[in-house]
Amino acid sequence: MTSHDAERSVFEQNLHLIWLDSHLDESDKHFRSNLDRLRSMVKKIDTFTNTQKCIDFVTKTTDDGISMIVSECSGEKIISLFDDLQQIETIYVFGTDTFSNTKWIDNYSKIKGVFMDIDSLCGALQRAKRQSNDDSIQISLVSTSGESDIVRLDQLEPSKEKRVSMNFARCALGNPDFVGILYTMNIDPAVSSTPFASLTNVSYYADTEQEILFAMNTVFRIDEIKAIDKDDRLWEVHLTLTADNDPRLRDLLARLRQDTQGASGWHRLGRLLIRLGQSKQAENVYQFLLEQTSDEPIKGYFYHQLGCLEERVCYL
């Protein structure tokens, strides 16, 4: 796998990147090389040389969370305009010369830094996207009515380096609506039956992160939750990987089977998603089931469940 392949692997297809530079010249080899490098990472890129046309485009787009590259020659006045646009999530200042004065950059929260070469810019984009992926990891929490709860995490890829994991947790503090969570996992290979593997020899971040990849729908037991900063915005959660013969997990699965009985697997899935608090996914299931049946009483039940989801009160 080449470095460019690795860059593409950490970016989702819906990422939208906008590059504004009044001196962009598509016939310039250096520009084409930089653009090709970015396109190896991001599918959707729009370039502009005119500031007003760029603003008009951004304000009319339906995309959220746009990342933007702005040339250093744009200056504070122009960059401040994009910092105020809600569609813009992050701004990367890109140039070949060092600013004589960069203190004003600290006044704009969306600016992630000044980058003098394409390698450092791509590295910053990688880190930002990876953090976004980590923020979107799906977590399902189910009470076992005992001393601990069960947590299920999707697309789980932790690191053996606590420093690395802590840095990612602290990144969340930049958003006032987020809290940072450090998951500390206790794994006993002798008792666990969940597949996991070291990525040390294959990961793009092998030199720094010592990653471990777990199978989808990995289940952990929560042992302890504690705040690790005075403002209660950074938390540490101690987890223990469960085994197939874990009594609490076995009891939980038995109870879920009893509580989510239904005429078909789809019916049971809808009930299970409600039980796990996954309202949007449950809504999608019931919308799908409505399209598959012409039986009016059954459709009435599906509409009832959808109405309950809308009111956030559902009956299993």
Side-chain angles (χ1 to χ4, degrees):
M1 176 182 289
T2 66
S3 61
H4 290 189
D5 292 334
E7 289 169 352
R8 176 179 286 276
S9 69
V10 298
F11 276 75
E12 296 177 353
Q13 293 299 311
N14 61 353
L15 177 69
H16 192 171
L17 185 63
I18 292 177
W19 188 356
L20 171 65
D21 187 339
S22 60
H23 297 106
L24 288 182
D25 180 3
E26 293 189 5
S27 64
D28 181 74
K29 292 182 179 180
H30 183 66
F31 164 72
R32 291 205 309 270
S33 175
N34 288 342
L35 186 61
D36 288 344
R37 180 75 180 274
L38 293 170
R39 290 196 189 282
S40 75
M41 302 168 60
V42 186
K43 181 179 180 180
K44 191 173 184 180
I45 301 178
D46 290 291
T47 60
F48 292 88
T49 57
N50 182 280
T51 301
Q52 189 56 53
K53 289 183 178 180
C54 185
I55 292 176
D56 292 342
F57 178 84
V58 172
T59 54
K60 292 177 182 178
T61 186
T62 58
D63 290 349
D64 292 322
I66 295 173
S67 292
M68 188 164 186
I69 300 172
V70 183
S71 70
E72 61 179 356
C73 60
S74 298
E76 179 180 7
K77 184 177 180 180
I78 291 177
I79 292 176
S80 67
L81 296 175
F82 291 98
D83 190 81
D84 290 335
L85 297 179
Q86 63 179 9
Q87 295 91 339
I88 302 297
E89 185 174 83
T90 53
I91 298 174
Y92 301 87
V93 181
F94 184 48
T96 56
D97 299 317
T98 304
F99 281 152
S100 58
N101 180 10
T102 60
K103 291 183 178 179
W104 60 268
I105 288 178
D106 296 333
N107 298 326
Y108 302 98
S109 61
K110 294 181 181 179
I111 297 180
K112 299 305 177 183
V114 181
F115 305 91
M116 296 302 148
D117 57 72
I118 193 65
D119 289 333
S120 61
L121 176 61
C122 288
L125 287 168
Q126 282 181 316
R127 291 189 293 272
K129 186 56 188 177
R130 194 168 184 218
Q131 179 63 43
S132 176
N133 289 339
D134 289 345
D135 290 341
S136 65
I137 289 177
Q138 293 188 0
I139 300 176
S140 302
L141 180 64
V142 182
S143 174
T144 60
S145 300
E147 298 177 354
S148 61
D149 290 338
I150 296 294
V151 62
R152 177 179 66 82
L153 295 92
D154 291 346
Q155 58 183 41
L156 183 57
E157 188 179 296
S159 171
K160 292 170 64 178
E161 289 288 340
K162 185 173 183 178
R163 172 187 54 82
V164 172
S165 300
M166 182 64 79
N167 287 340
F168 278 111
R170 291 189 184 280
C171 285
L173 303 184
N175 187 326
D177 296 326
F178 286 4
V179 297
I181 301 178
L182 173 69
Y183 291 103
T184 301
M185 302 170 182
N186 179 35
I187 302 160
D188 185 351
V191 299
S192 174
S193 58
T194 299
F196 61 91
S198 171
L199 301 182
T200 300
N201 295 324
V202 295
S203 172
Y204 182 74
Y205 305 96
D207 295 337
T208 58
E209 299 192 8
Q210 297 189 49
E211 295 168 295
I212 303 292
L213 179 66
F214 285 86
M216 294 289 287
N217 301 323
T218 300
V219 179
F220 291 86
R221 185 174 66 250
I222 298 177
D223 299 318
E224 182 184 12
I225 301 176
K226 63 180 181 180
I228 53 178
D229 76 335
K230 62 181 180 180
D231 298 322
D232 287 346
R233 294 199 59 217
L234 193 60
W235 294 78
E236 183 171 9
V237 179
H238 289 266
L239 305 173
T240 298
L241 187 63
T242 61
D244 287 341
N245 60 354
D246 185 299
R248 291 193 181 94
L249 178 60
R250 188 171 57 244
D251 292 344
L252 170 64
L253 293 176
R255 191 167 75 244
L256 286 175
R257 292 189 188 98
Q258 180 179 357
D259 293 345
T260 58
Q261 294 180 7
S264 71
W266 283 102
H267 291 70
R268 293 191 291 273
L269 177 60
R271 288 172 174 252
L272 177 61
L273 289 170
I274 292 172
R275 183 63 179 268
L276 294 176
Q278 304 290 331
S279 299
K280 184 61 179 179
Q281 289 88 337
E283 179 182 344
N284 292 337
V285 168
Y286 287 120
Q287 291 286 7
F288 170 79
L289 290 172
L290 273 173
E291 297 173 359
Q292 304 302 311
T293 183
S294 59
D295 189 297
E296 292 302 323
I298 293 179
K299 291 175 70 173
Y301 169 73
F302 295 153
Y303 280 120
H304 170 75
Q305 292 296 84
L306 287 170
C308 290
L309 284 167
E310 185 69 25
E311 297 294 328
R312 301 191 183 280
V313 178
C314 261
Y315 303 94
L316 293 174

